[in-house]
Amino acid sequence: VRLVLGFIDQEGRELRKSEDLIRLNSNLQYRGDGFFRRFNPTLAANLRTQFAAGFNYSENPYNDYDDHPRAGQDPPVQTSSFFSPGTLTESIGLTYEPAEPLSLLLGIAAKQTFVLERDFRVLYGVDEADAIRLEGGGQFASTLDYDVTENIRYRSQLDVFFAVNQFDNPPDVIWENVVNLQVNDWLSTDLEFVALYDQDTTRAIQVKEVISVGVSFSLL
């Protein structure tokens, strides 16, 4: 489970979101003998959405749709909210761990894209009359969790989804990287880099870079 919500107050600008993420990952593996000791049958699910409303402050993306009710409005214009969008991906496949910090998953998958707010659906490739876009295909996922030194930890997760009805299009990709620097028992610094590509939303690669310093503690 990863929950993130942050805001930034810059001089001369209104209060804006700086971070907003709800992510739930679940993974069930069977570890047996022989073949199934190396290649583990796996059921996996991944849910992603956000808490608060999001806005486009530079331009109005609805102007590309002449009959849209938000076309013609001056920025900022709202483009997202809770479960608008949200994605849920379920897969069944095999997990292979070539080395202790690295895990690879390959399987068949289903993906649902939720956009509960009707006005936002044109921005995320969802039919205006439906709240969900359903896709079937395959998924490749890799997870790396590596202690570089005693106080430096690198975590990386790559998720790739191939839709069977979109073989001519590039797959949906999200690549998350976090370097955690543990200064002492309670103070830490995170360097985060995220790259996302989904042609149903935009043909551009979306990138996020964050440097954060905060207090950390372990519950267990």
Side-chain angles (χ1 to χ4, degrees):
V1 177
R2 187 179 182 200
L3 307 174
V4 183
L5 181 62
F7 294 88
I8 186 169
D9 185 9
Q10 290 181 303
E11 185 177 354
R13 293 183 176 181
E14 64 272 32
L15 190 69
R16 299 185 181 184
K17 284 197 307 183
S18 59
E19 287 273 4
D20 191 358
L21 176 65
I22 300 174
R23 189 181 72 180
L24 308 176
N25 282 339
S26 182
N27 188 300
L28 176 64
Q29 294 183 18
Y30 170 75
R31 299 189 176 186
D33 297 323
F35 177 84
F36 293 124
R37 184 173 183 178
R38 180 174 292 270
F39 297 93
N40 310 132
T42 303
L43 293 173
N46 186 316
L47 173 67
R48 298 178 63 89
T49 186
Q50 60 187 29
F51 288 101
F55 295 84
N56 191 321
Y57 292 90
S58 59
E59 60 183 6
N60 185 341
Y62 303 105
N63 289 340
D64 295 333
Y65 310 93
D66 296 333
D67 57 346
H68 196 280
R70 294 178 184 257
Q73 293 182 7
D74 293 330
V77 291
Q78 187 176 351
T79 56
S80 61
S81 63
F82 180 70
F83 263 96
S84 294
T87 60
L88 175 63
T89 305
E90 310 98 346
S91 64
I92 178 170
L94 295 174
T95 296
Y96 173 57
E97 297 181 354
E100 184 177 348
L102 178 63
S103 176
L104 307 175
L105 170 65
L106 181 65
I108 58 175
K111 181 179 179 181
Q112 299 87 48
T113 301
F114 303 87
V115 184
L116 302 185
E117 292 286 344
R118 189 185 187 95
D119 285 355
F120 305 153
R121 292 173 187 170
V122 296
L123 303 180
Y124 302 101
V126 176
D127 190 277
E128 189 175 352
D130 299 319
I132 304 175
R133 185 178 74 249
L134 304 176
E135 298 174 282
Q139 181 186 32
F140 171 76
S142 68
T143 303
L144 177 66
D145 194 341
Y146 180 62
D147 290 327
V148 181
T149 67
E150 183 179 355
N151 297 321
I152 301 177
R153 180 184 180 188
Y154 172 56
R155 288 170 290 168
S156 177
Q157 181 166 335
L158 173 68
D159 286 295
V160 182
F161 176 80
F162 305 84
V164 293
N165 61 338
Q166 295 180 330
F167 276 128
D168 293 336
N169 298 335
D172 301 339
V173 179
I174 181 166
W175 186 33
E176 300 172 287
N177 299 270
V178 178
V179 177
N180 175 257
L181 311 175
Q182 195 69 36
V183 180
N184 52 39
D185 291 340
W186 54 271
L187 183 65
S188 66
T189 298
D190 282 347
L191 310 176
E192 181 178 6
F193 172 83
V194 179
L196 184 149
Y197 182 82
D198 185 345
Q199 188 167 295
D200 292 315
T201 301
T202 176
R203 293 181 179 271
I205 298 176
Q206 302 175 68
V207 174
K208 180 177 76 172
E209 298 170 301
V210 178
I211 300 177
S212 59
V213 179
V215 175
S216 63
F217 59 91
S218 297
L219 297 177
L220 298 175

